[in-house]
Short mmCIF file of all heavy atoms in Angstrom, two decimals:
data_model
loop_
_atom_site.label_atom_id
_atom_site.label_comp_id
_atom_site.label_asym_id
_atom_site.label_seq_id
_atom_site.Cartn_x
_atom_site.Cartn_y
_atom_site.Cartn_z
N THR A 1 -0.85 -4.30 -8.97
CA THR A 1 -0.56 -4.08 -7.56
C THR A 1 -1.82 -3.67 -6.81
O THR A 1 -2.78 -3.19 -7.40
CB THR A 1 0.51 -2.98 -7.39
OG1 THR A 1 0.79 -2.81 -6.00
CG2 THR A 1 0.04 -1.66 -7.96
N THR A 2 -1.80 -3.88 -5.51
CA THR A 2 -2.90 -3.44 -4.66
C THR A 2 -2.46 -2.26 -3.78
O THR A 2 -3.14 -1.90 -2.83
CB THR A 2 -3.37 -4.60 -3.76
OG1 THR A 2 -2.25 -5.07 -2.99
CG2 THR A 2 -3.95 -5.73 -4.59
N ASP A 3 -1.31 -1.69 -4.10
CA ASP A 3 -0.77 -0.57 -3.32
C ASP A 3 -1.81 0.56 -3.26
O ASP A 3 -2.36 0.98 -4.28
CB ASP A 3 0.51 -0.06 -4.00
CG ASP A 3 1.28 0.91 -3.10
OD1 ASP A 3 0.65 1.83 -2.56
OD2 ASP A 3 2.50 0.73 -2.97
N PRO A 4 -2.11 1.10 -2.06
CA PRO A 4 -3.13 2.16 -1.95
C PRO A 4 -2.79 3.42 -2.71
O PRO A 4 -3.67 4.21 -3.04
CB PRO A 4 -3.18 2.43 -0.43
CG PRO A 4 -1.89 1.91 0.11
CD PRO A 4 -1.57 0.72 -0.74
N TYR A 5 -1.50 3.65 -3.02
CA TYR A 5 -1.13 4.83 -3.80
C TYR A 5 -1.78 4.83 -5.18
O TYR A 5 -1.87 5.87 -5.83
CB TYR A 5 0.39 4.91 -3.97
CG TYR A 5 1.11 5.48 -2.77
CD1 TYR A 5 2.06 4.71 -2.09
CD2 TYR A 5 0.85 6.76 -2.31
CE1 TYR A 5 2.73 5.22 -0.99
CE2 TYR A 5 1.51 7.28 -1.21
CZ TYR A 5 2.46 6.51 -0.56
OH TYR A 5 3.12 7.01 0.53
N PHE A 6 -2.24 3.67 -5.63
CA PHE A 6 -2.77 3.56 -6.98
C PHE A 6 -4.27 3.79 -7.05
O PHE A 6 -4.85 3.71 -8.12
CB PHE A 6 -2.43 2.19 -7.57
CG PHE A 6 -0.96 1.99 -7.80
CD1 PHE A 6 -0.15 1.49 -6.80
CD2 PHE A 6 -0.38 2.33 -9.00
CE1 PHE A 6 1.20 1.32 -6.99
CE2 PHE A 6 0.97 2.17 -9.20
CZ PHE A 6 1.77 1.66 -8.19
N ARG A 7 -4.89 4.10 -5.91
CA ARG A 7 -6.34 4.27 -5.92
C ARG A 7 -6.77 5.40 -6.86
O ARG A 7 -7.72 5.27 -7.63
CB ARG A 7 -6.85 4.56 -4.50
CG ARG A 7 -6.76 3.35 -3.57
CD ARG A 7 -7.14 3.75 -2.15
NE ARG A 7 -6.94 2.63 -1.23
CZ ARG A 7 -6.91 2.77 0.09
NH1 ARG A 7 -7.04 3.98 0.63
NH2 ARG A 7 -6.73 1.73 0.87
N ASP A 8 -6.06 6.54 -6.78
CA ASP A 8 -6.41 7.66 -7.65
C ASP A 8 -6.21 7.30 -9.11
O ASP A 8 -6.92 7.79 -9.99
CB ASP A 8 -5.58 8.90 -7.29
CG ASP A 8 -5.99 9.50 -5.96
OD1 ASP A 8 -7.11 9.21 -5.52
OD2 ASP A 8 -5.20 10.25 -5.38
N TRP A 9 -5.22 6.46 -9.37
CA TRP A 9 -4.96 6.08 -10.76
C TRP A 9 -6.08 5.22 -11.32
O TRP A 9 -6.36 5.28 -12.51
CB TRP A 9 -3.63 5.33 -10.86
CG TRP A 9 -2.48 6.27 -10.89
CD1 TRP A 9 -1.73 6.68 -9.84
CD2 TRP A 9 -1.95 6.94 -12.04
NE1 TRP A 9 -0.77 7.57 -10.25
CE2 TRP A 9 -0.88 7.74 -11.60
CE3 TRP A 9 -2.29 6.93 -13.39
CZ2 TRP A 9 -0.14 8.52 -12.46
CZ3 TRP A 9 -1.55 7.71 -14.26
CH2 TRP A 9 -0.49 8.50 -13.79
N GLU A 10 -6.72 4.45 -10.47
CA GLU A 10 -7.83 3.62 -10.94
C GLU A 10 -8.94 4.50 -11.50
O GLU A 10 -9.63 4.14 -12.45
CB GLU A 10 -8.36 2.74 -9.81
CG GLU A 10 -7.41 1.62 -9.43
CD GLU A 10 -7.07 0.73 -10.62
OE1 GLU A 10 -8.00 0.26 -11.30
OE2 GLU A 10 -5.88 0.54 -10.89
N ALA A 11 -9.12 5.67 -10.90
CA ALA A 11 -10.16 6.59 -11.37
C ALA A 11 -9.86 7.09 -12.77
O ALA A 11 -10.77 7.44 -13.52
CB ALA A 11 -10.30 7.76 -10.40
N THR A 12 -8.59 7.14 -13.14
CA THR A 12 -8.24 7.67 -14.46
C THR A 12 -8.64 6.72 -15.58
O THR A 12 -8.60 7.10 -16.75
CB THR A 12 -6.73 7.95 -14.57
OG1 THR A 12 -6.01 6.71 -14.51
CG2 THR A 12 -6.26 8.86 -13.46
N ARG A 13 -9.00 5.51 -15.25
CA ARG A 13 -9.46 4.60 -16.30
C ARG A 13 -10.71 5.14 -16.98
O ARG A 13 -11.03 4.77 -18.10
CB ARG A 13 -9.73 3.21 -15.72
CG ARG A 13 -8.48 2.50 -15.23
CD ARG A 13 -8.81 1.11 -14.71
NE ARG A 13 -7.64 0.45 -14.15
CZ ARG A 13 -6.75 -0.22 -14.86
NH1 ARG A 13 -6.89 -0.32 -16.17
NH2 ARG A 13 -5.73 -0.80 -14.28
N LYS A 14 -11.44 6.02 -16.27
CA LYS A 14 -12.64 6.62 -16.84
C LYS A 14 -12.29 7.85 -17.68
O LYS A 14 -13.14 8.39 -18.38
CB LYS A 14 -13.60 7.03 -15.73
CG LYS A 14 -14.04 5.86 -14.84
CD LYS A 14 -14.92 6.35 -13.71
CE LYS A 14 -15.32 5.21 -12.79
NZ LYS A 14 -16.16 5.69 -11.66
N ASN A 15 -11.04 8.31 -17.58
CA ASN A 15 -10.60 9.49 -18.30
C ASN A 15 -9.58 9.13 -19.37
O ASN A 15 -9.15 7.98 -19.47
CB ASN A 15 -9.95 10.49 -17.33
CG ASN A 15 -10.88 10.90 -16.23
OD1 ASN A 15 -11.96 11.40 -16.49
ND2 ASN A 15 -10.46 10.71 -14.99
N THR A 16 -9.20 10.11 -20.13
CA THR A 16 -8.04 9.96 -21.02
C THR A 16 -7.07 11.07 -20.67
O THR A 16 -7.43 12.06 -20.02
CB THR A 16 -8.45 10.09 -22.50
OG1 THR A 16 -9.11 11.35 -22.70
CG2 THR A 16 -9.37 8.96 -22.92
N PHE A 17 -5.83 10.90 -21.07
CA PHE A 17 -4.83 11.92 -20.83
C PHE A 17 -4.68 12.81 -22.06
O PHE A 17 -4.93 12.36 -23.19
CB PHE A 17 -3.50 11.28 -20.45
CG PHE A 17 -3.53 10.64 -19.09
CD1 PHE A 17 -3.74 9.27 -18.95
CD2 PHE A 17 -3.35 11.40 -17.96
CE1 PHE A 17 -3.78 8.68 -17.70
CE2 PHE A 17 -3.39 10.82 -16.69
CZ PHE A 17 -3.61 9.45 -16.57
N ILE A 18 -4.28 14.05 -21.85
CA ILE A 18 -4.22 14.99 -22.97
C ILE A 18 -2.86 15.66 -23.13
O ILE A 18 -2.58 16.26 -24.16
CB ILE A 18 -5.31 16.08 -22.84
CG1 ILE A 18 -5.19 16.81 -21.50
CG2 ILE A 18 -6.70 15.45 -22.97
CD1 ILE A 18 -6.22 17.92 -21.31
N GLN A 19 -1.99 15.57 -22.10
CA GLN A 19 -0.68 16.21 -22.21
C GLN A 19 0.31 15.52 -21.28
O GLN A 19 -0.04 15.09 -20.19
CB GLN A 19 -0.77 17.69 -21.85
CG GLN A 19 0.50 18.47 -22.13
CD GLN A 19 0.32 19.96 -21.88
OE1 GLN A 19 -0.75 20.42 -21.54
NE2 GLN A 19 1.39 20.72 -22.05
N LEU A 20 1.57 15.43 -21.75
CA LEU A 20 2.62 14.75 -21.01
C LEU A 20 3.77 15.68 -20.68
O LEU A 20 4.02 16.66 -21.37
CB LEU A 20 3.19 13.58 -21.84
CG LEU A 20 2.25 12.47 -22.27
CD1 LEU A 20 3.01 11.49 -23.15
CD2 LEU A 20 1.66 11.78 -21.08
N ALA A 21 4.51 15.33 -19.62
CA ALA A 21 5.76 16.00 -19.29
C ALA A 21 6.65 14.99 -18.58
O ALA A 21 6.17 14.15 -17.82
CB ALA A 21 5.51 17.22 -18.39
N ALA A 22 7.96 15.06 -18.85
CA ALA A 22 8.91 14.15 -18.21
C ALA A 22 10.10 14.94 -17.70
O ALA A 22 10.68 15.75 -18.42
CB ALA A 22 9.38 13.08 -19.20
N GLY A 23 10.46 14.69 -16.43
CA GLY A 23 11.66 15.29 -15.86
C GLY A 23 12.78 14.27 -15.86
O GLY A 23 12.74 13.27 -16.58
N GLY A 24 13.78 14.50 -15.02
CA GLY A 24 14.90 13.57 -14.98
C GLY A 24 14.48 12.18 -14.57
O GLY A 24 14.74 11.20 -15.28
N TYR A 25 13.78 12.07 -13.43
CA TYR A 25 13.37 10.76 -12.92
C TYR A 25 11.92 10.80 -12.44
O TYR A 25 11.55 10.04 -11.54
CB TYR A 25 14.30 10.34 -11.77
CG TYR A 25 15.73 10.17 -12.23
CD1 TYR A 25 16.65 11.20 -12.04
CD2 TYR A 25 16.15 9.01 -12.85
CE1 TYR A 25 17.96 11.07 -12.48
CE2 TYR A 25 17.46 8.86 -13.29
CZ TYR A 25 18.36 9.90 -13.09
OH TYR A 25 19.66 9.76 -13.53
N HIS A 26 11.12 11.67 -13.01
CA HIS A 26 9.71 11.70 -12.67
C HIS A 26 8.92 12.07 -13.92
O HIS A 26 9.48 12.52 -14.92
CB HIS A 26 9.43 12.71 -11.54
CG HIS A 26 9.66 14.13 -11.94
ND1 HIS A 26 10.92 14.68 -12.09
CD2 HIS A 26 8.79 15.15 -12.22
CE1 HIS A 26 10.82 15.95 -12.43
NE2 HIS A 26 9.54 16.26 -12.53
N SER A 27 7.60 11.84 -13.85
CA SER A 27 6.73 12.09 -14.99
C SER A 27 5.42 12.71 -14.51
O SER A 27 5.04 12.55 -13.35
CB SER A 27 6.43 10.79 -15.75
OG SER A 27 7.62 10.17 -16.18
N ALA A 28 4.73 13.39 -15.42
CA ALA A 28 3.45 14.00 -15.09
C ALA A 28 2.57 14.02 -16.33
O ALA A 28 3.06 14.01 -17.47
CB ALA A 28 3.65 15.42 -14.55
N ALA A 29 1.26 14.05 -16.10
CA ALA A 29 0.32 14.09 -17.22
C ALA A 29 -0.95 14.81 -16.78
O ALA A 29 -1.37 14.70 -15.63
CB ALA A 29 -0.01 12.68 -17.69
N VAL A 30 -1.55 15.55 -17.71
CA VAL A 30 -2.84 16.19 -17.49
C VAL A 30 -3.92 15.26 -18.03
O VAL A 30 -3.83 14.78 -19.16
CB VAL A 30 -2.92 17.55 -18.21
CG1 VAL A 30 -4.29 18.18 -17.99
CG2 VAL A 30 -1.82 18.48 -17.72
N ALA A 31 -4.92 14.99 -17.20
CA ALA A 31 -6.03 14.11 -17.61
C ALA A 31 -7.21 14.94 -18.07
O ALA A 31 -7.28 16.16 -17.83
CB ALA A 31 -6.43 13.20 -16.45
N SER A 32 -8.15 14.28 -18.72
CA SER A 32 -9.33 14.98 -19.24
C SER A 32 -10.22 15.51 -18.12
O SER A 32 -11.10 16.35 -18.37
CB SER A 32 -10.13 14.05 -20.14
OG SER A 32 -10.49 12.86 -19.46
N ASP A 33 -10.01 15.06 -16.87
CA ASP A 33 -10.78 15.60 -15.75
C ASP A 33 -10.16 16.89 -15.21
O ASP A 33 -10.65 17.48 -14.25
CB ASP A 33 -10.92 14.57 -14.63
CG ASP A 33 -9.57 14.11 -14.06
OD1 ASP A 33 -8.53 14.67 -14.46
OD2 ASP A 33 -9.57 13.18 -13.23
N GLY A 34 -9.01 17.33 -15.80
CA GLY A 34 -8.38 18.57 -15.39
C GLY A 34 -7.32 18.43 -14.33
O GLY A 34 -6.62 19.39 -14.01
N TYR A 35 -7.18 17.22 -13.78
CA TYR A 35 -6.18 17.00 -12.74
C TYR A 35 -4.83 16.60 -13.34
O TYR A 35 -4.78 16.02 -14.43
CB TYR A 35 -6.64 15.91 -11.77
CG TYR A 35 -7.75 16.35 -10.83
CD1 TYR A 35 -9.08 16.05 -11.12
CD2 TYR A 35 -7.46 17.06 -9.68
CE1 TYR A 35 -10.11 16.46 -10.27
CE2 TYR A 35 -8.48 17.47 -8.82
CZ TYR A 35 -9.80 17.17 -9.12
OH TYR A 35 -10.80 17.58 -8.29
N VAL A 36 -3.77 16.91 -12.61
CA VAL A 36 -2.43 16.50 -12.99
C VAL A 36 -2.06 15.27 -12.16
O VAL A 36 -2.21 15.28 -10.93
CB VAL A 36 -1.39 17.61 -12.75
CG1 VAL A 36 0.02 17.11 -13.03
CG2 VAL A 36 -1.71 18.82 -13.63
#
C-alpha cells in the first residue's frame, strides 16, 4: 500500500522487534529503536 499511515512502519525495516502484545482487536510491538 501507499497509505501515508505506513510511513513510520517503513522505518522499522531498519529495526527488529523485541516484544509483542495483542488485545481484542488491536496489536502492539516494541521495536529495537525503543518505540512502540
Side-chain angles (χ1 to χ4, degrees):
T1 181
T2 57
D3 192 312
Y5 280 119
F6 293 88
R7 290 174 185 164
D8 289 341
W9 278 95
E10 289 304 308
T12 67
R13 293 182 184 276
K14 301 177 182 178
N15 302 303
T16 57
F17 290 98
I18 56 179
Q19 188 175 358
L20 300 176
Y25 298 97
H26 67 286
S27 303
V30 179
S32 56
D33 60 5
Y35 287 98
V36 175

